[in-house]
Amino acid sequence: MATPEPFSAQNPIRVFLLDDHEVVRRGVQDLLEDEPDISVVGTASTMAQALARGPALRPHVAVLDVRLPDGDGISVCRDLRSKMPELACLMLTSFDDEEALLDAIMAGASGFVLKQIQGTDLISAVRTLADGQSMLDPATTTRLMSRLRGETAPERDPQAEAVAELTERERDILGLVGDGLTNRQIGERLYLSEKTVKNHISRMLAKLGVERRIQAAMLANQTPQTPDRHHG
């Protein structure tokens, strides 16, 4: 397979921009357009506009406001990446919102920055994502997971023990939830109906003592998995 061309003025990074505040949107657009190797190929101010316009523009990077009048940028990220898996999403928010960060990670976002970011740092972030790198700090994710579980350096880890008690099929599904797959995708991977997957996940959440799928997903990414016996 041919190596992709490096980004340049002749082959710029294609950026799609979603923000409901016109001043912010225009400011970010002007900032990015000043760079010779970056081209803003489209903008939107609502979730509906972004979902309608985004896929046809084939951007390399989508800069998405988290909070929107008709939805949220995290859902836009998930939807656009389902159509364009190679798309890198940079979430832009004025809130230091840990819940949003967790949801953004699960939606497949590659970066998450506050609107207070310096212009040069935002440009650098767009280039980092366009090069296929992530800006999500593993240490931050670990800290968030600890807070989500309400634990500080426990002697014993009841949730890790609960994971060990899951059936082999439930552990397989937990791992795929941790990879961010939807119920439908998990069903296709494991040759199960979507309804069966949903039932497994309901039982799994109950066993793990968590209520939300994202908590199980973060748990999956923090708990050492038992060796996979399928591929021995």
Side-chain angles (χ1 to χ4, degrees):
M1 195 168 124
T3 307
E5 283 182 63
F7 292 113
S8 63
Q10 288 72 40
N11 177 41
I13 299 166
R14 297 167 61 82
V15 175
F16 182 72
L17 177 59
L18 167 63
D19 197 295
D20 63 324
H21 294 102
E22 184 185 7
V23 173
V24 174
R25 193 170 64 249
R26 288 191 173 185
V28 173
Q29 182 173 3
D30 290 347
L31 182 75
L32 295 176
E33 290 273 286
D34 279 346
E35 300 300 311
D37 60 335
I38 298 176
S39 173
V40 177
V41 293
T43 66
S45 60
T46 65
M47 181 172 169
Q49 285 177 356
L51 296 179
R53 296 173 186 173
L57 297 168
R58 309 303 296 175
H60 300 111
V61 177
V63 180
L64 306 172
D65 191 5
V66 168
R67 294 172 193 268
L68 299 165
D70 62 338
D72 62 84
I74 293 167
S75 299
V76 173
C77 171
R78 187 180 289 112
D79 194 281
L80 291 180
R81 290 191 79 256
S82 72
K83 298 179 175 70
M84 299 177 285
E86 70 288 352
L87 176 68
C89 293
L90 179 65
M91 310 310 299
L92 192 62
T93 181
S94 50
F95 306 91
D96 190 4
D97 185 344
E98 294 190 343
E99 185 82 0
L101 174 53
L102 285 169
D103 286 340
I105 293 168
M106 292 313 305
S110 302
F112 190 100
V113 294
L114 297 177
K115 287 183 180 176
Q116 295 92 303
I117 190 172
Q118 295 290 318
T120 51
D121 291 337
L122 180 61
I123 292 163
S124 173
V126 167
R127 289 188 177 127
T128 298
L129 266 57
D131 285 338
Q133 300 175 57
S134 171
M135 286 182 55
L136 293 168
D137 175 10
T140 305
T141 316
T142 304
R143 176 176 58 79
L144 288 171
M145 184 58 207
S146 298
R147 185 168 303 183
L148 195 65
R149 288 154 66 180
E151 295 169 4
T152 51
E155 286 299 314
R156 59 185 283 275
D157 188 340
Q159 288 189 311
E161 292 168 13
V163 170
E165 293 300 314
L166 296 177
T167 66
E168 194 169 341
R169 174 49 55 84
E170 286 167 347
R171 279 200 300 273
D172 288 343
I173 290 174
L174 178 62
L176 295 173
V177 168
D179 290 339
L181 272 62
T182 64
N183 288 1
R184 184 169 55 80
Q185 290 168 327
I186 292 171
E188 289 169 358
R189 185 76 61 90
L190 299 179
Y191 306 102
L192 299 171
S193 73
E194 201 169 334
K195 186 173 187 299
T196 301
V197 171
K198 191 176 178 183
N199 290 340
H200 275 300
I201 289 176
S202 296
R203 281 197 297 274
M204 184 179 75
L205 294 182
K207 285 185 182 180
L208 295 176
V210 296
E211 294 178 6
R212 301 185 56 218
R213 183 192 185 95
I214 184 170
Q215 292 172 295
M218 294 303 294
L219 186 59
N221 289 324
Q222 294 299 322
T223 307
Q225 296 292 309
T226 53
D228 189 348
R229 292 195 287 273
H230 294 302
H231 305 297

